[in-house]
Amino acid sequence: MKISKLFEAKRPVFSLEVFPPKKNAGGIETIYETLDGLKDIKPDFISVTYGAGGNLADRSTCDICSIIKNKYNILPIAHLTCVNNTKQDIDIITQDLKSVGVSNILALRGDISPDIPPKNDFAHASDLVEYIKQKGDFTISGACYPETHPDSEDSVSDILNLKKKVDSGAEHLISQLFFNNEDFYAFREKAVLAGINVPIEAGIMPVTNKNQVLRMATMCGASIPRKMSRLLNRFENNPKALEDAGIAYAVDQIVDLIANDVDGIHLYTMNKPYIAQRIFAAIESMR
Ligand code: FAD
């Protein structure tokens, strides 16, 4: 099933993101606990992140996508970054994905690390989209940034680059996390004006830890609105209250997005199924 087809049948689409568990945190086996907890939400698809280091021996994204498809009967989407991969590496990874029946890829550049010199085959995600598209075996999605990608000089050039990614073959976009829906709506309008007419899912991250969210927001250039910062400061030393407040904030964002005809909601689960369950229970009647 092509991810893009989902949007023809149903709106909003509800999807989830998981990451491969770290080896020192129980290894790949612990993903079963996460997926057992997520399956009852009945997501339209689950995406699996990819380590940006370009380590071909690490097949965890492919293995977890295979588990999602073949054990849980849920549509998987494999993230794949190109900054540290050669064309030959991409050939091997896509062949692995094809061999386990994964046909949807979220094609990404990946962050450029000062410690790992980039390989030179792909400069931008759009180059990867074009390369995978030629193979003819995959439906391709891409990332987008409501508050502009941190490497971009301005939002106009970022949107024009996004248009190139869509023209190269990305049929669906998933947004970076954001905490102010107005940023997403302004971005969506600009995308339409630029001629981007593929479905755009809103990336929502429930906040459960102050330092973690501040770190992530700095890394990806997301701003923290006053309402969020008051909540983080008020409950930082009360983990249960912060979790409840973070869930309430995410639910509030999602309700507003649904009311504003969002194409889809993509929940960054952080491999915490009970939080995703509470959020989806709160919006059950809106699906
Ligand atoms: P690009 O689309 O290449 O954009 C990066 C920058 O280059 C932008 O400033 C853009 O405007 C500019 N640009 C793009 N095309 C051109 C062009 N043709 N000419 C000039 N400039 C151009 N990282 C991981 O390592 N693993 C993951 O699994 C992962 N999953 C993600 C999932 C989502 C939904 C999102 C939003 C991000 C994810 N990331 C992941 C992070 C991502 O790799 C970084 O944000 C990275 O810095 C940019 O990736 P991109 O695919 O958006 O790059």
Side-chain angles (χ1 to χ4, degrees):
M1 154 73 109
K2 278 158 108 37
I3 295 283
S4 49
K5 282 267 171 226
L6 278 175
F7 295 86
E8 290 170 15
K10 182 184 169 209
R11 271 165 209 255
V13 159
F14 288 95
S15 60
L16 306 173
E17 179 186 288
V18 298
F19 53 78
K22 295 208 168 46
K23 298 230 167 17
N24 60 6
I28 198 167
E29 295 305 313
T30 63
I31 200 66
Y32 288 106
E33 249 169 72
T34 304
L35 295 172
D36 279 343
L38 295 176
K39 71 175 187 312
D40 294 334
I41 292 173
K42 297 190 174 36
D44 291 296
F45 68 87
I46 298 181
S47 80
V48 185
T49 64
Y50 178 84
N55 174 8
L56 280 186
D58 180 2
R59 290 179 37 108
S60 49
T61 300
C62 179
D63 291 343
I64 295 169
C65 282
S66 174
I67 293 167
I68 291 170
K69 179 178 161 60
N70 299 311
K71 175 170 165 39
Y72 292 91
N73 212 13
I74 296 171
L75 188 65
I77 173 166
H79 296 208
L80 177 56
T81 64
C82 60
V83 67
N84 295 312
N85 282 317
T86 61
K87 285 186 176 167
Q88 206 183 1
D89 297 338
I90 297 296
D91 291 344
I92 294 169
I93 297 165
T94 49
Q95 188 52 45
D96 278 353
L97 291 169
K98 193 178 164 190
S99 71
V100 294
V102 175
S103 58
N104 291 285
I105 293 179
L106 176 61
L108 301 145
R109 183 194 70 180
D111 286 323
I112 297 169
S113 156
D115 305 326
I116 311 172
K119 305 261 171 71
N120 295 321
D121 281 2
F122 305 97
H124 308 291
S126 52
D127 302 325
L128 179 64
V129 172
E130 207 173 308
Y131 187 70
I132 303 174
K133 188 84 188 165
Q134 285 168 9
K135 295 177 183 288
D137 298 316
F138 299 95
T139 300
I140 306 160
S141 303
C144 62
Y145 300 83
E147 295 181 75
T148 304
H149 188 277
D151 292 354
S152 289
E153 273 171 30
D154 53 57
S155 66
V156 174
S157 58
D158 202 31
I159 294 265
L160 293 176
N161 290 331
L162 183 62
K163 173 81 165 82
K164 285 185 203 155
K165 185 151 59 179
V166 170
D167 290 345
S168 302
E171 296 183 30
H172 151 243
L173 299 170
I174 303 180
S175 92
Q176 185 56 280
L177 63 92
F178 59 90
F179 297 112
N180 180 353
N181 287 1
E182 299 309 319
D183 291 331
F184 181 82
Y185 301 139
F187 160 77
R188 195 171 59 168
E189 274 179 30
K190 282 189 211 156
V192 170
L193 287 173
I196 294 169
N197 52 14
V198 297
I200 304 176
E201 278 194 274
I204 297 295
M205 195 184 80
V207 166
T208 56
N209 177 306
K210 181 179 174 181
N211 290 334
Q212 183 191 45
V213 72
L214 294 183
R215 205 174 45 244
M216 289 186 77
T218 309
M219 222 170 70
C220 69
S223 53
I224 307 278
R226 290 220 331 250
K227 184 174 165 184
M228 168 63 76
S229 126
R230 279 196 292 265
L231 169 166
L232 291 172
N233 293 337
R234 177 72 176 82
F235 301 121
E236 63 182 314
N237 296 319
N238 183 343
K240 182 73 186 94
L242 182 57
E243 188 176 289
D244 287 345
I247 289 170
Y249 194 101
V251 169
D252 190 41
Q253 272 194 282
I254 294 171
V255 170
D256 182 63
L257 285 160
I258 295 172
N260 279 282
D261 290 330
V262 72
D263 292 324
I265 301 289
H266 187 70
L267 192 74
Y268 295 108
T269 71
M270 309 300 286
N271 291 14
K272 292 180 179 165
Y274 62 98
I275 292 186
Q277 284 161 2
R278 283 184 57 191
I279 290 173
F280 278 87
I283 55 150
E284 185 60 40
S285 61
M286 296 166 220
R287 291 182 72 178

